[in-house]
Amino acid sequence: MTTGGLVVGGLEIGFGDAPGLRAISFSVARAERVAVVGASGSGKTTLLRAVAGLVPIHRGTVVVGSRDVTRLPPELRGAVYLHQSPVLFPHLTVGENVAFALRLRRVPERETLKRVQELLTAVGLPDFAPRAPRSLSGGQRHRVALARAVAAAPEVLLLDEPLSALDPTLRDEVRVALLGLQAEYSPALLLVTHDLDEAALMADRIAVLLNGTLAQVAPPAELFQRPDSLAVARFLGMRNEIPGRVRSGRFECALGSFPVPAGISAAGELVGIIPVDAVDVVPSPSGSARVLGVIHRVQGTSVLVSRNGVELEARAAASSTPKAGETVDLRIYPERLILLPAIA
Amino acid sequence: MCRASVLAATSYRRRWKCRTQRLALWSVGLLALLSSTTACSGAPAPPPAAEVAALQWDSVLSMARGTTVAWRMWRGDPSINAYVDRWVAPRLRDRYGITLNAFPGQGPEIINELVVEREAGVSGSADLVWINGETFSNLRAEGLLGGPWAHRLPNAVLVDSASPVISRDFEQDPAGYESPWGRVQFALIYDTVRTPEPPRTFAELADWIRAHPGRFTHDQQFTGMTFLKMLMYARAGGVEAFQGGFDEARYRAGSARVWEWLDEARSSFWRGGEAYPPGVADLHRLFANREVDFSMSNNHNEVVTKVRQGILPPTARALLLRDGTIANSHYLGIPYNAPNPAGAMVVADFLLSPEAQLEKLRPEVWADGTVLDVERLPPRWRRRFAAAEADPRSLPRDSLARYARPEVAPRYHERLSEDWRARVRRGP
Amino acid sequence: MRRSWKGLAAAGVVAAPVGVGVVYAAAAAVGLVGVSRPDGASGQRVARVLAEPAVWESTLWSLWVASASTILAGAAALGTAAVFRGPGRLDRSARSAAVLPLPIPHLVAGVLGLLILGQSGLLGRAAYALRLVQAPADVPALVYDGWGVGLILTLAWKEFAFLVLVAWSALAERGAALEEAARTLGASPGQTFRRVTAPVLLRAMLPAGVAVFTFILGSFEVAALLGPSDPLPLPVLTLERYTDADLGRRSDAFVLALLGIGLAALAVGGHEWARSRWPDLEG
Amino acid sequence: MRSRLRLLMAGVVILSAALPFAVLAVGSVAGEWRWPALVPSAIEGDAWTATLAGGTRLGPALLYSLALGLATGVLGTCVALPVGRAIAELHGWRRHLGAGMVFLPVAAPPIALGTGLQLTSLSVGLGGTFQGVLLAHLIPTTGYLSLFFVGILSVWDRRAEDEARTLGANPRQVLTRVTLPMLRPSIAAAAALGFLISWGQVPLTLLVGRGRVPTLPLEVFGYVQSGQERFAAAGALLLALPPLLALGAARLAARDVDVVPV
């Protein structure tokens, strides 16, 4: 394990009487970015606030840098927490906001001013120091809040849904500022989001919070290709679940029999998932599948088909989208097959 | 989740709260400190008035020098306030080195205060109180006045002690527990333009009221009750019938005649006798604004000052009813717990001086009658007093004397007020 | 629950002086302390005072004045708030003017009531100038009157400013969005006011209304200056007894004080109960 | 039609707000002003000249009331802020109980409160003193301001305080650098409200001050009761003006805050 960063071990937090989060263990290295994803109400924000010291924990440890901060108040933890819409202190100017943590530490005034200017320049707002927070746009406020957070030189930066409240056009602005600051000052970054795209875009690793525990922590590519469980797969929005069983190296199901992809050891009753982009439809008057409908998405058009009583969503070639009621053939890429144990 | 985090977050704010609570504690502590400075400033008990009165006057004067005298008095009239604050106070300071501090409070409030002070067991806060009649009687009955001391004042020899109106305060002997200060006599107030031929007796007044419905009323306080008391004398055998202390049977008989008169007349009162002005000042306002045609006053000279102040119209005059009108005096007392009885005596003596009495009598000052026997004063002073009373609006001294009737036991006044509130004010 | 204990303790500190007053008044009412101390405690005084019809007439009368002025001020505030809520010049002038009486002490309102509303006051004189009346007696009695009309008008004028301010902030907070929703659902302007604006405002104004009601119920100055001689408003009756020359009757005032505080406590309790029953009333 | 009605209503509102002050102003210099005269027939400036020359107690009483009002406003706010915060953090029936408890001193009739407290104040040496009256004024004031802060802090956004904590501010620093500055408008409003409660108070001053604490309302009350309308009107105007100026100043200040936050 690298020095610095954040290590959370065996965290348990109660929601009222019932335990809400349990056995949460993960780490974020210096300069690493980890995104926690989970459904609304799954406790993502509570996890972040617990790390910040704003919520008491029942059990477990929080280590920031190499210090155990579990029993320390928020101001001594070296972890800065930013709300979804960060709050700039309305009674201070933009510059004073950024200088907040420096003034708390009685950093010499000249140095403070220099640092404020540096940080404001880094977030692209070099002339904003004397402005009042209320005169700023939403994206500008975010950037000032980021500068203010980084000015505190935290070991860990905790971001709650950093981009969700922003217009799509502003997201890039803030994300660029954030990634730029992080690259320069290298804190460990822990963010929570309900948006998988945002997580994949921003994080080195994604932690999936399901039913109060971390179901899987993995880099985005690995997570999307190899979800650990059916629950994670469903959370990731994967469709096309087909029950079947593995027998002598082949997965047998209603759609036929496919070779188990290399590197997967599986046996017995399983659920197979054929990712949408691992099935192509091929127009064929005598095909074995019937088109039930067409679904248009930004990422491309897909087709809902039915074969042998199994409904599948499949990728359609842009050139020839079949119509409902037509028959087609399916071309399945078995190396993309995901095999997971069924949920009891 | 939201609730949990709110609850949880608050616990981390405990220290924050400690700070704000400390702020509150500081404030409370500051207040406690402020209070303790007053609470702990208990001086040794002052000598009672009787003890001081036994001293030579020169010793009293030297004891009084450099002290402050707290005088509880009615403060509702700018003329009286001006007399006290701008004429009396500077002279006391120049001549006797006494600082006069007058603050408001009358009759029941004074009793209340002394009772409360005794209950609380704290030292007194007034050195001199302006009282008479029922207030004096209640204070005496409760042992709340210091004395005797009044007869020891050098100027006491000038007092018109032959006059029963001065030597008896509501049939009670002041017995040296109060010193007379002023003398007044009840008068009706009318407008010579509106009512050129005013009624002169209660009988005529009743006729007038019936002939002019809605044009007469009286107030609910001292003046109005004095009016009713005079009515009681007039209809039940004169003041003589009620002398010699309170008697329930005589009161019942007398008051019955009052209720009888009122039952007959009150439907012709202002607002049909269903509402009464709270105080005599309100009655003055009704009179000045032509809502009613009569006002009244315990001071026959009040019309003079009130016209000068512009409160009453210039054509207002005082009028004595031939059935007799009540004359009484007002006095100064020293509470049993007064911190500065010597100073209070010096003030009371100064207020009895011809100079102070004359100034008070002048119509442009207060027009309060003197308690001195003017005939016994040197001629120079006699002339001055005569000149002061020569105001055309003043009533001649001989008719005042002719119609003057003394007060009777204060209990009559109290019972009449009590029963009037219960029987008349509450409606039939 | 240490936290809640602290919160309630803090509230207790603020409420404590009332407790001290109540305890002393109760002790004085039954004769444990005070001037006319009988032998030991006795409920006789309490029973005698509470048996007086005059006391209950005063209580009912004060309740009437408090209800009438609160409702009058509330209705006026509701209407004014709804009519002048735009950004225009007239709206802004009306808003500025309406809150002007807000900081005026009750006593000043009472002085004004006397000067303006008395039968020979400015209102009557204006009527005379317009040849509507010949003499003060022709002017309706608004001061010292049995129904307390002048008192109610004066108090309503004074409290109107407070209620209208509350109404405006409630409207500014959420009025427009709700009204737009109602209009798009097919409500006419009138229906929108009756079914959306007025109920929203009323609920926001309930706490303020309760506060105004209790202020007026206990308010002394205006009642002393403008109230009738029969029945005496409850606070005025309390002070009359407290300063009675008859020292024995002085302690009657403590029974009346307890009655007054009891009524206030009832109003407060009812209000908090209503708010806990219908939490949405908090707006 | 509708706009004419609005104009009429606005006229009524503006007139009802402005007329009373005109009445007081005229009344304070009215010599002879009796039925049926709409305006006084003579001007008499004695109420003002006497007040300015120190011949009435209105001037000193004004200063006394100002001191009392300021002290009440400041101390009341200091006590009410933490109390309001503590109650705002309660939930359910405890919240209603707490709010009801601080409502009680506001709702209790001052006359009733005063009769109950007169002797108590006297026996602890506070009767008839500035401090005693200050404490008496603080009773309704702390109640009212606690309610005020319960209202403000129930919807108080704590995110700024949270972020300040994680940025390294300890609780005292959060209080002095974030919470109090952010609450500044509310704190100023609370102090002003406290001032007003004290400024207009009559019964508590009367009973606890026992006539010895000469506040402006008591002087005015005395003049009203003795029928000295000119002096009463002058005093009433003195009583009405400072709060009006304060209201105006508060509005101006609020406007400033909108433009240049400090």
Side-chain angles (χ1 to χ4, degrees), chain D residues 87-241:
Chain D
I87 296 172
E89 282 171 1
L90 297 178
H91 295 272
W93 65 267
R94 291 185 188 86
R95 168 75 167 277
H96 290 287
L97 183 62
M101 277 161 79
V102 295
F103 202 152
L104 198 58
V106 185
I111 278 283
L113 211 52
T115 50
L117 288 174
Q118 191 182 38
L119 190 95
T120 320
S121 68
L122 201 56
S123 31
V124 297
L126 286 169
T129 65
F130 179 87
Q131 297 93 316
V133 172
L134 173 59
L135 278 176
H137 285 193
L138 278 172
I139 296 169
T141 305
T142 49
Y144 193 86
L145 297 187
S146 298
L147 278 182
F148 174 82
F149 280 117
V150 169
I152 301 262
L153 295 172
S154 298
V155 294
W156 177 242
D157 184 355
R158 300 207 150 113
R159 291 178 306 163
E161 293 175 355
D162 282 349
E163 293 197 6
R165 281 300 291 277
T166 69
L167 284 168
N170 62 32
R172 188 180 55 80
Q173 290 169 321
V174 170
L175 177 66
T176 56
R177 293 177 182 236
V178 178
T179 314
L180 292 182
M182 281 178 73
L183 277 173
R184 216 175 72 165
S186 304
I187 288 172
L193 280 172
F195 174 86
L196 285 181
I197 295 171
S198 159
W199 181 256
Q201 186 61 247
V202 171
L204 283 174
T205 319
L206 203 66
L207 287 166
V208 175
R210 298 150 76 226
R212 207 147 311 165
V213 178
T215 64
L216 189 55
L218 283 201
E219 295 293 320
V220 175
F221 199 59
Y223 282 129
V224 179
Q225 285 194 317
S226 55
Q228 301 287 346
E229 287 183 7
R230 197 158 54 242
F231 288 80
L237 210 54
L238 284 181
L239 210 44
L241 281 181

Side-chain angles (χ1 to χ4, degrees), chain B residues 13 16-17 27 34 38 72 75-76 78 102-104 113 116-117 125 281 285 288-289 309-311 313, chain D residues 34-35 57 78 85 89 119 122 125-126 131 158 161-162 165 175 179 210-212 225-230:
Chain B
R13 271 191 208 92
W16 187 98
K17 273 171 56 186
S27 321
L34 283 174
T38 49
R72 194 103 147 108
R75 295 286 289 179
F103 54 90
E113 161 158 284
V116 160
E117 279 176 359
S125 48
R285 198 183 58 247
N289 284 309
Q309 290 170 352
I311 289 172
Chain D
R34 285 189 272 277
W35 171 276
R57 312 232 300 182
C78 289
R85 179 128 186 170
E89 282 171 1
L119 190 95
L122 201 56
L126 286 169
Q131 297 93 316
R158 300 207 150 113
E161 293 175 355
D162 282 349
R165 281 300 291 277
L175 177 66
T179 314
R210 298 150 76 226
R212 207 147 311 165
Q225 285 194 317
S226 55
Q228 301 287 346
E229 287 183 7
R230 197 158 54 242

Side-chain angles (χ1 to χ4, degrees), chain A residues 275-287:
Chain A
V276 174
D277 54 0
V279 197
D280 285 348
V281 289
V282 183
S284 155
S286 60

Side-chain angles (χ1 to χ4, degrees), chain B residues 108 112 220 271 276 291 426, chain C residues 57 120 143 229-230 243 250:
Chain B
N112 208 31
Q220 305 177 36
R271 299 262 180 102
Y276 295 84
E291 286 197 49
R426 298 246 309 121
Chain C
E57 280 168 34
S120 55
V143 167
S229 36
D230 174 60
T243 54
R250 179 174 165 267

Side-chain angles (χ1 to χ4, degrees), chain A residues 18-91:
Chain A
L21 297 177
R22 53 189 193 283
I24 306 278
S25 297
F26 64 94
S27 64
V28 188
R30 219 173 105 77
E32 194 192 10
R33 299 188 293 267
V34 171
V36 178
V37 296
S40 295
S42 62
K44 303 186 296 285
T45 297
T46 306
L47 174 60
L48 222 53
R49 293 175 64 87
V51 171
L54 296 168
V55 166
I57 60 175
H58 282 173
R59 184 165 296 132
T61 54
V62 178
V63 175
V64 171
S66 38
R67 293 181 307 142
D68 182 347
V69 300
T70 317
R71 307 268 156 243
L72 293 183
E75 67 269 21
L76 300 178
R77 292 192 166 204
V80 174
Y81 172 73
L82 285 183
H83 286 93
Q84 181 171 0
S85 322
V87 190
L88 296 186
F89 303 128
H91 55 291

Side-chain angles (χ1 to χ4, degrees), chain C residues 34-129:
Chain C
V35 215
S36 51
R37 208 170 300 170
D39 310 325
S42 131
Q44 274 178 12
R45 180 191 306 282
V46 181
R48 176 172 58 71
V49 173
L50 292 185
E52 277 184 55
V55 166
W56 294 106
E57 280 168 34
S58 288
T59 307
L60 283 179
W61 195 84
S62 285
L63 285 170
W64 145 252
V65 167
S67 321
S69 356
T70 308
I71 291 170
L72 185 62
L78 197 70
T80 311
V83 170
F84 300 107
R85 49 192 292 203
R89 215 184 146 75
L90 189 69
D91 296 71
R92 278 185 290 133
S93 315
R95 282 205 290 270
S96 301
V99 297
L100 220 52
L102 187 69
I104 302 303
H106 266 120
L107 176 59
V108 178
V111 174
L112 286 165
L114 271 184
L115 289 175
I116 296 175
L117 299 175
Q119 277 179 300
S120 55
L122 285 178
L123 209 62
R125 297 182 200 186
Y128 178 87

